[in-house]
Amino acid sequence: MLTTATAAENSLKNHPNLDYTSFVRIQAIMNSVGEACTDLKREYDQCFNRWFAEKFLKGDRNGDPCMETFRLYQRCVQKAIKEKEIPIDGVEFMGPNKEKPES
Amino acid sequence: MVKYFSNSTDIKSTWDHVVSAFWQRYPNPFSTHVLTEDVVYREVTADHRLFSRRLLMKTNRLPRWAEHIFPSGMSRSVYIVEDSIVDPINRSLTTFTWNLNHTTLMSVEERCVFQDSQEQPATTQLKREAWISSNVYGFSRPIQEFGLARFKSNQVKAMKGLEYALSNLQGEAPQRPLRDSVKDASEKAKEAAKSLASAAAAAPQKPQQYV
């Protein structure tokens, strides 16, 4: 379901101290698999996209400003995953890739 | 029996833009079958790589003949895992995507590697590989054919979705009717594009269209 960008998103775009604007979309949002988690997801995504373009890609290793918003979001979404019995727990990172030949 | 598929395409955007757009490509007009998107794991490693896992839920669109074969109680939702590694020092993004459920019916695994093009400036090369298999007794061949056809169709949508996200990276007005074509968006992006201090010297060009 598409929703409109909020005033908060627009003020991010016009912030005088942030030059990441060509890397971050002002965009409609996706739903989380946990219906109650969509707002937390959006907050985290906004923080991440800014940090990713402005810090991570530029090699800045100084901390992660999104830790707290990530924690809140994860608490919500992990609960939804358990409730819906989505079989993702214990699935190894890049698991199936291990048996594939290098391209 | 596994069907293998691979190809290589050029995306006329810098690697930095492509990787940023990768996280922001949903929703887009070509992804109406993707219902939910969640980051469920993320970590920056000691060697400054970003490991992430995204969980996607998609609708499961089967052809009529397949719907008759499978129990009507079968979930209409497919859960997809997308694991990825961003290496900003070597400038590569590697993703591995596969479905968590409906694996007896069909297993689709895809690996993508995004890197700077060796030949063209301000261009990103995408190498993709896919492995498609089905374990349904007696039907695995038609199901694999269907799976490959749907996979190719989804690849086209995925590329259109990524191009759409790239063309919108200049922070355009948030409301876009779903009918707007990708071409329209990229014409506007071309006018509005500004070069970045860290980008390659070549000015951004109109994104390549994939039909």
Side-chain angles (χ1 to χ4, degrees), chain A residues 1-6 9-10 13 19-34 37-38 41 44-45 48-49 51-53 55-62 64 70 73-74 77-78 81 84-103, chain B residues 14-17 19-21 23-28 31 34-42 44 46-53 55 57 79 81 83-86 88-89 94-96 98 100-101 109 111 113 127 129 131 164-166 168-176 178 194 196 198:
Chain A
M1 193 78 138
L2 297 184
T3 61
T4 57
T6 61
E9 287 168 334
N10 287 326
K13 179 185 169 188
D19 68 349
Y20 68 98
T21 51
S22 69
F23 284 100
V24 181
R25 294 175 62 196
I26 304 300
Q27 61 171 111
I29 58 165
M30 279 295 286
N31 288 327
S32 167
V33 73
C37 311
T38 296
K41 166 188 149 63
Y44 168 68
D45 283 347
F48 170 78
N49 288 323
W51 168 83
F52 183 79
K55 303 284 183 190
F56 180 77
L57 285 186
K58 297 183 181 177
D60 186 329
R61 303 189 184 209
N62 291 327
D64 175 6
F70 186 63
Y73 167 44
Q74 288 304 293
V77 77
Q78 297 297 341
I81 285 169
K84 293 174 195 262
E85 297 182 339
I86 299 170
I88 197 171
D89 198 38
V91 174
E92 191 188 358
F93 186 73
M94 293 274 194
N97 189 44
K98 299 214 157 105
E99 73 218 28
K100 303 283 191 284
E102 289 292 309
S103 57
Chain B
T14 64
W15 183 84
D16 299 69
H17 271 135
V19 180
S20 298
W23 299 118
Q24 304 176 67
R25 71 186 190 281
Y26 296 121
N28 67 71
S31 74
V34 181
L35 300 181
T36 71
E37 171 204 28
D38 285 285
V39 173
V40 297
Y41 159 71
R42 185 164 266 153
V44 180
D47 57 353
H48 201 64
R49 290 188 296 165
L50 182 73
F51 282 30
S52 306
R53 167 169 284 178
L55 171 68
M57 185 174 77
Y79 293 114
V81 176
D83 285 348
S84 61
I85 299 176
V86 182
I89 296 160
T94 301
T95 77
F96 202 90
W98 72 103
L100 271 186
N101 60 342
E109 299 173 328
R111 174 164 69 202
V113 182
K127 281 192 249 197
E129 296 171 280
W131 297 265
Y164 182 86
L166 278 163
N168 278 328
L169 271 185
Q170 303 303 315
E172 295 188 2
Q175 283 287 65
R176 295 197 72 82
L178 287 179
K194 45 188 182 215
L196 303 165
S198 58

Side-chain angles (χ1 to χ4, degrees), chain B residues 75-148:
Chain B
S75 168
R76 304 310 258 158
S77 303
V78 187
Y79 293 114
I80 311 281
V81 176
E82 175 209 85
D83 285 348
S84 61
I85 299 176
V86 182
D87 184 339
I89 296 160
N90 294 311
R91 296 173 65 80
S92 80
L93 162 63
T94 301
T95 77
F96 202 90
T97 305
W98 72 103
N99 55 307
L100 271 186
N101 60 342
H102 296 180
T103 47
T104 305
L105 166 63
M106 188 167 349
S107 163
V108 180
E109 299 173 328
E110 184 191 36
R111 174 164 69 202
C112 294
V113 182
F114 297 81
Q115 292 174 306
D116 289 310
S117 164
Q118 298 301 310
E119 287 106 38
Q120 325 237 22
T123 300
T124 302
Q125 182 194 46
L126 165 60
K127 281 192 249 197
R128 340 163 82 120
E129 296 171 280
W131 297 265
I132 298 170
S133 61
S134 173
N135 284 318
V136 178
Y137 179 73
F139 290 95
S140 62
R141 180 89 179 261
I143 289 171
Q144 271 167 200
E145 298 290 339
F146 159 71
L148 184 61

